[in-house]
Amino acid sequence: MIHPSRFTSPWWASNPHVQTILAKYLHRVRIGYRRERLELPDGDFVDLAWALPRQDDRRPLVVLFHGLEGCVESHYARGMMAALQQRGWQAVLMHFRGCSGEPNRYLQAYHSGAIEDPHYVLERLRRRYPERPMAAIGYSLGGNMLVNYLAAHPRNPLCAATVISAPLQLSACADRINRGFSRVYQHYLLGRMKHNWQQRLSRHPRHQWQGNLAAIRSLREFDDVVTAPLHGFDDAEDYYRRCSGLYKLAAIGTPTLVIHAADDPFMNEAVIPDASHLPPSVTYELSRSGGHVGFIHGRPWRPRYWLEQRVPDWLAEHWPPYQEQA
């Protein structure tokens, strides 16, 4: 079933681009965090960012997965980590490979269906904290990845999960972001992706990449000549087909909240599932407005961020009983 969201945009932020852009520039919350490097089985690494003060007790643990080219400094990550800490829970963000400020050891980085690193991290945390309730939040690309993970690993350590503004139909989203004003977002993301790819190539001078970065004008073109061949896909369309979370929602058994705004400028109606295909474990909330990871309400001089209330409220309904520690 698809539920209408209770979120409504205020008059001053009813435009989806205003929602998307102002959410980044108005959200000024800061958090302290400590980094931890985890060595991976293949010899590479990922960096975790633990919100401070770090609590190694039985408090609930919430793992965040950022979006394309995001990191712990992304506005949505900082805001949610602060909101989770205010609830007395522990927040930790997993950086995808190459997103923590230091290039990784291998050319392979991350993509929208790369679930091996998150799977390894979640299992490590489960072994380290066997008595702690654990949940996950995935934003945008990280949300689509989380859907892939939940479908592939029905027996996972998570009590609950939340997926926010996820491009669940990757091919349609690649087309949508290449049209109209949305190309501004594409230009920004593509610039960061090209820069990171150049950094990785410089660390591997023996790799003879034959592509031409200057000729790449869209995310689809980048995925076609970089992402897909680097990660074992035939081309961009093969990557999109195999990694789109839309077709995997029915396999999810973990209680999962999916939040999406119909006016998201990164995507179109193709990402909205058929309600009859949703399992009982998936709660899908659709709002008419909200932009991409925006969902701002309140007053212009005192904006509030609806996700930081809705998501913790929903997670609180799914924690098993645990003993609070002073």
Side-chain angles (χ1 to χ4, degrees):
M1 182 176 179
I2 294 180
H3 303 269
S5 172
R6 294 183 179 179
F7 173 79
T8 56
S9 294
W11 63 267
W12 57 272
S14 59
N15 182 281
H17 300 298
V18 170
Q19 281 280 343
T20 303
I21 295 169
L22 286 189
K24 177 178 180 178
Y25 291 104
L26 293 182
H27 210 336
R28 299 175 181 175
V29 64
R30 294 292 175 186
I31 60 165
Y33 59 87
R34 185 181 73 81
R35 299 214 177 216
E36 177 187 2
R37 177 156 296 180
L38 288 185
E39 296 292 330
L40 300 171
D42 68 356
D44 213 328
F45 68 89
V46 291
D47 287 330
L48 307 182
W50 292 86
L52 297 176
R54 178 170 168 177
Q55 304 285 349
D56 290 325
D57 52 28
R58 296 183 180 179
R59 300 171 195 263
L61 175 63
V62 185
V63 184
L64 282 72
F65 300 107
H66 59 77
L68 182 63
E69 297 300 307
C71 67
V72 69
E73 294 296 344
S74 297
H75 67 281
Y76 54 83
R78 287 187 278 106
M80 185 62 74
M81 292 175 81
L84 296 170
Q85 290 291 86
Q86 289 177 358
R87 299 279 180 130
W89 306 339
Q90 176 67 66
V92 56
L93 178 137
M94 190 202 93
H95 288 100
F96 295 121
R97 299 191 191 200
C99 292
S100 62
E102 179 179 338
N104 280 71
R105 298 169 188 147
Y106 299 156
L107 268 176
Q108 291 78 10
Y110 69 100
H111 60 78
S112 201
I115 64 175
E116 295 80 7
D117 293 352
H119 176 59
Y120 178 77
V121 168
L122 291 173
E123 291 299 322
R124 278 282 300 267
L125 293 175
R126 173 163 63 176
R127 292 194 298 271
R128 186 187 295 180
Y129 305 110
E131 297 182 352
R132 299 183 77 161
M134 192 188 312
I137 304 171
Y139 292 89
S140 197
L141 176 144
N144 185 77
M145 181 284 301
L146 185 54
V147 169
N148 277 266
Y149 167 79
L150 294 169
H153 297 281
R155 300 183 66 181
N156 61 69
L158 301 175
C159 300
T162 304
V163 173
I164 299 167
S165 300
L168 297 178
Q169 217 294 355
L170 294 168
S171 183
C173 294
D175 291 340
R176 175 64 183 88
I177 203 170
N178 195 34
R179 296 201 307 268
F181 186 84
S182 294
R183 286 182 297 204
V184 173
Y185 308 120
Q186 177 175 251
H187 178 76
Y188 170 76
L189 292 169
L190 196 56
R192 292 179 62 91
M193 293 163 70
K194 288 182 178 181
H195 172 74
N196 287 341
W197 176 234
Q198 287 178 316
Q199 279 197 319
R200 280 146 57 202
L201 282 176
S202 68
R203 293 169 63 96
H204 298 271
R206 295 184 180 181
H207 183 79
Q208 300 300 314
W209 187 65
Q210 302 300 321
N212 179 5
L213 273 183
I216 297 175
R217 302 293 185 183
S218 69
L219 293 183
R220 180 183 287 274
E221 290 176 3
F222 185 92
D223 287 337
D224 205 44
V225 300
V226 178
T227 309
L230 192 65
H231 297 98
F233 301 102
D234 295 337
D235 52 25
E237 200 57 41
D238 180 48
Y239 161 44
Y240 296 158
R241 177 181 58 82
R242 291 165 59 182
C243 295
S244 290
L246 184 70
Y247 315 114
K248 303 174 183 181
L249 290 169
I252 293 178
T254 304
T256 301
L257 173 65
V258 180
I259 296 175
H260 177 64
D263 67 350
D264 191 317
F266 283 46
M267 49 200 85
N268 59 22
E269 66 277 0
V271 305
I272 302 174
D274 184 328
S276 65
H277 295 166
L278 293 175
S281 56
V282 173
T283 300
Y284 191 102
E285 291 187 355
L286 179 65
S287 66
R288 295 178 60 185
S289 60
H292 187 71
V293 197
F295 298 94
I296 306 173
H297 62 155
R299 300 176 181 179
W301 54 90
R302 193 174 182 181
R304 292 183 290 135
Y305 303 88
W306 179 78
L307 292 172
E308 293 165 17
Q309 181 69 42
R310 176 66 185 123
V311 174
D313 283 350
W314 190 83
L315 293 179
E317 299 173 7
H318 294 83
W319 294 133
Y322 71 97
Q323 182 178 355
E324 291 278 8
Q325 295 190 6

